[in-house]
């Protein structure tokens, strides 16, 4: 009971943070940016803890699960299917609404964010999987190579059998300490979210500026948000209900801290500590599953980003007056999936990997300039859907494992009888 009230207070605090941040940033942009340091402190605290959290939780999870192969494959299958559904929704919506048709092309050259990335290829993304320098990867917030190293360490410890007991005890203890710190950081979520939102709206010049920005690209913004809405509020809850047998309203309310933090930080990776706490502690998904699939999901499972990439690229084509045929739409479908997997869980990463999709269908990279102005805003919505997709995935995989355990137990009972 006591904990329930404490959580409710936190959620009310977060909602106040979003609201006040929105009001201050909209009406008093300068004050908003001045108060931005509150958001930076919060974000720094999350980033500080996320690297140790990932390394310890993945290593522990591999040591405990032993053979991670089947869980890993199931996770990948879930990610691929849900991301593909998201891209499909994006393609259908942008084709129906046609936000780019009739719009004037007004790009001003190659956007800064993609300079030097013009030759990005899938093989470049694959190359980064194995890092020559762990510290550099950690410092640059490249999560995927760290996940891979942690899997290797976990497997190595597991292969040592009883000898690794000491390592297991130490890692368990470190993990407990990390989760304690995460708990402390979460107390500051309302203030942090307030600072992040007030600052971002302030940087954009306040509410009226943001409104005129949205109006300019209104149909495009609407297409992305509508697609995300359908995926986040219909598709994912249906999957949760059918496959994880959980009540979607109850589950989303338990994860509201994580979803709001994703919105405020625009980073799935920075949100990870809060996602893990919500999924494991509040929604009671088994640690074994959550510790492995959540860090992996935060890095490669991005439904919102995939949907957004498809909408954005087709919008760019429409704006240039280029009609994409069925074959090209299929190429957009495949590459948008890849681009979402390759995007890091950091702000506006999807904008960079969009280069892959544009190049695949031969569209000018300058087209990114068309959507740049509103990207920071759409990034928040898609990151929230990315994190929500990870949480739903954890519940589904947890259920599958649970069913399998029962099944295995039945077989062994039958065998022993
Ligand atoms: N910001 C997104 C995330 O962290 C990635 C992107 O779409 O830019 O999940």
């Amino acid at each position: 009971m006591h904990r329930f009230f404490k959580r409710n207070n936190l959620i009310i605090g977060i909602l106040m943070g979003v609201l006040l941040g929105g009001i201050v940033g909209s009406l008093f942009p300068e004050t908003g940016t001045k108060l931005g340091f509150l958001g930076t402190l919060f974000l720094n605290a999350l980033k500080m803890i996320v690297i140790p959290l990932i390394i310890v939780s993945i290593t522990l999870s591999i040591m405990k699960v032993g053979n991670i192969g089947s869980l890993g494959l199931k996770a990948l299958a879930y990610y691929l299917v849900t991301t593909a559904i998201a891209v499909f929704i994006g393609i259908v919506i942008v084709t129906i609404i046609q936000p780019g048709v009739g719009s004037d092309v007004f790009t001003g050259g190659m956007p800064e964010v993609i300079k030097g990335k013009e030759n990005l290829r899938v093989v470049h993304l694959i190359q980064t999987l194995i890092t020559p320098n762990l510290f550099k990867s950690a410092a640059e917030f490249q999560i995927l190579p760290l996940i891979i190293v942690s899997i290797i360490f976990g497997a190595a410890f597991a292969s040592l059998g009883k000898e690794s007991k000491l390592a297991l005890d130490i890692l368990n203890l470190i993990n407990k300490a990390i989760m304690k710190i995460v708990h402390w950081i979460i107390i500051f979520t309302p203030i942090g979210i307030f600072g992040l939102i007030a600052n971002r709206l302030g940087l954009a010049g306040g509410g009226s500026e943001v409104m005129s920005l949205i109006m300019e690209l209104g149909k495009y913004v609407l297409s992305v948000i509508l697609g995300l809405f359908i995926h986040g509020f219909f598709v994912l809850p249906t999957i949760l209900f059918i496959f994880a047998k959980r009540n979607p309203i109850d589950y989303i309310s338990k994860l509201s801290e994580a979803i709001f933090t994703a919105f405020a930080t625009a980073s799935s990776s920075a949100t990870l500590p809060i996602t893990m706490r919500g999924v494991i502690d509040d929604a009671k998904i088994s640690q074994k599953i959550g510790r492995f699939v959540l860090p992996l999901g935060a890095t490669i499972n991005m439904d919102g980003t995939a949907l957004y990439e498809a909408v954005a690229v087709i919008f760019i084509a429409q704006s240039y007056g280029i009609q994409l045929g069925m074959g090209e739409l299929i190429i957009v479908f495949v590459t948008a999936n890849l681009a979402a997997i390759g995007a890091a869980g950091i702000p506006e990463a999807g904008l960079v990997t969009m280069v892959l999709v544009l190049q695949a269908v031969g569209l000018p990279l300058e087209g990114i300039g068309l959507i740049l102005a509103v990207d920071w805003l759409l990034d928040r919505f898609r990151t929230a859907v990315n994190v929500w997709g990870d949480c739903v995935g954890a519940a589904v995989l947890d259920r599958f494992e649970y069913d399998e355990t029962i099944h295995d137990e039945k077989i062994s009972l039958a065998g022993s009888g």
Side-chain angles (χ1 to χ4, degrees):
M1 199 61 162
H2 177 57
R3 184 158 158 65
F4 174 77
F5 280 116
K6 262 173 61 182
R7 269 211 75 232
N8 268 3
N9 285 344
L10 184 66
I11 292 172
I12 292 170
I14 290 176
L15 289 176
M16 300 268 294
V18 174
L19 204 69
L20 285 178
I23 293 174
V24 172
S26 295
L27 303 181
F28 313 102
E30 269 180 36
T31 316
T33 45
K34 277 196 191 123
L35 292 173
F37 74 96
L38 294 170
T40 310
L41 281 175
F42 175 63
L43 191 59
N44 285 353
L46 285 174
K47 285 184 174 170
M48 173 273 289
I49 204 67
V50 81
I51 302 284
L53 171 72
I54 288 173
I55 295 175
V56 171
S57 52
I58 297 237
T59 311
L60 262 181
S61 150
I62 307 286
M63 287 174 80
K64 289 193 175 165
V65 178
N67 178 6
I68 207 73
S70 108
L71 178 60
L73 284 179
K74 278 184 212 145
L76 286 182
Y78 168 87
Y79 297 159
L80 289 177
V81 171
T82 49
T83 310
I85 296 175
V87 177
F88 182 74
I89 294 174
I91 294 181
V92 171
I93 285 187
V94 72
T95 310
I96 295 175
I97 298 186
Q98 303 221 320
V101 172
S103 71
D104 295 326
V105 175
F106 52 93
T107 57
M110 189 76 79
E112 212 44 53
V113 266
I114 54 163
K115 287 223 171 106
K117 301 275 189 322
E118 295 92 331
N119 296 320
L120 189 67
R121 299 278 180 276
V122 175
V123 64
H124 296 141
L125 299 177
I126 297 173
Q127 266 169 20
T128 59
L129 292 182
I130 305 285
T131 174
N133 187 337
L134 271 179
F135 295 97
K136 188 160 173 276
S137 293
E140 290 174 1
F141 221 57
Q142 296 165 348
I143 309 286
L144 212 46
L146 295 180
I147 291 185
I148 291 180
V149 170
S150 311
I151 292 178
I152 296 172
F153 261 99
F157 276 135
S159 75
L160 294 176
K162 278 196 190 122
E163 249 183 287
S164 62
K165 166 93 178 57
L166 180 62
L168 188 66
D169 288 344
I170 293 175
L171 285 172
N172 263 326
L173 201 60
I174 298 178
N175 186 60
K176 278 193 183 147
I178 290 176
M179 290 322 278
K180 210 25 115 275
I181 297 173
V182 172
H183 177 69
W184 291 334
I185 296 174
I186 286 181
I187 298 171
F188 295 95
T189 319
I191 300 175
I193 288 184
F194 163 80
L196 288 165
I197 293 186
N199 180 50
R200 197 58 195 82
L201 285 174
L203 281 178
S208 53
E209 288 292 316
V210 175
M211 271 327 275
S212 60
L213 205 66
I214 295 176
M215 298 309 268
E216 231 169 76
L217 286 162
K219 273 181 160 183
Y220 165 66
V221 172
L222 178 83
S223 308
V224 175
I225 293 186
L226 181 65
L228 292 175
F229 183 85
I230 294 174
H231 192 71
F233 284 101
F234 292 100
V235 176
L236 289 175
T238 308
I239 292 176
L240 182 73
F241 184 70
I242 296 178
F243 295 103
K245 304 196 171 49
R246 279 180 182 256
N247 174 345
I249 298 175
D250 177 61
Y251 195 62
I252 206 169
S253 75
K254 293 203 162 101
L255 292 155
S256 42
E257 290 102 314
I259 293 170
F260 279 115
T261 306
F263 182 82
T265 59
S267 169
S268 312
S269 298
T271 308
L272 183 65
I274 301 191
T275 316
M276 287 190 70
R277 215 190 111 83
V279 168
I280 295 171
D281 288 0
D282 296 328
K284 305 280 178 251
I285 298 292
S286 78
Q287 295 196 0
K288 222 168 60 178
I289 306 287
R291 280 175 185 165
F292 178 66
V293 300
L294 290 171
L296 193 64
T299 322
I300 62 173
N301 180 41
M302 298 199 179
D303 297 3
T305 300
L307 186 150
Y308 151 84
E309 302 237 5
V311 174
V313 167
I314 298 173
F315 166 75
I316 290 171
Q318 291 170 351
S319 305
Y320 278 94
I322 300 168
Q323 188 70 36
L324 298 180
M326 199 52 183
E328 280 156 326
L329 286 181
I330 293 174
I331 295 178
V332 169
F333 177 81
V334 174
T335 48
N337 275 289
L338 288 176
I341 294 173
I346 56 173
E348 305 202 14
L351 206 59
V352 177
T353 57
M354 193 183 295
V355 168
L356 289 176
V357 192
L358 287 170
Q359 276 172 341
V361 281
L363 287 169
L365 300 187
E366 284 81 1
I368 293 184
L370 283 172
I371 52 168
L372 199 61
V374 283
D375 190 65
W376 64 269
L377 186 65
L378 296 178
D379 195 7
R380 282 143 210 276
F381 289 99
R382 65 182 189 253
T383 308
V385 173
N386 289 346
V387 168
W388 173 225
D390 297 337
C391 299
V392 172
V396 171
L397 293 162
D398 190 48
R399 182 76 206 188
F400 280 167
E401 286 299 302
Y402 173 78
D403 283 349
E404 210 158 85
T405 318
I406 305 264
H407 178 250
D408 289 350
E409 274 167 9
K410 275 190 190 148
I411 289 181
S412 68
L413 278 178
S416 62

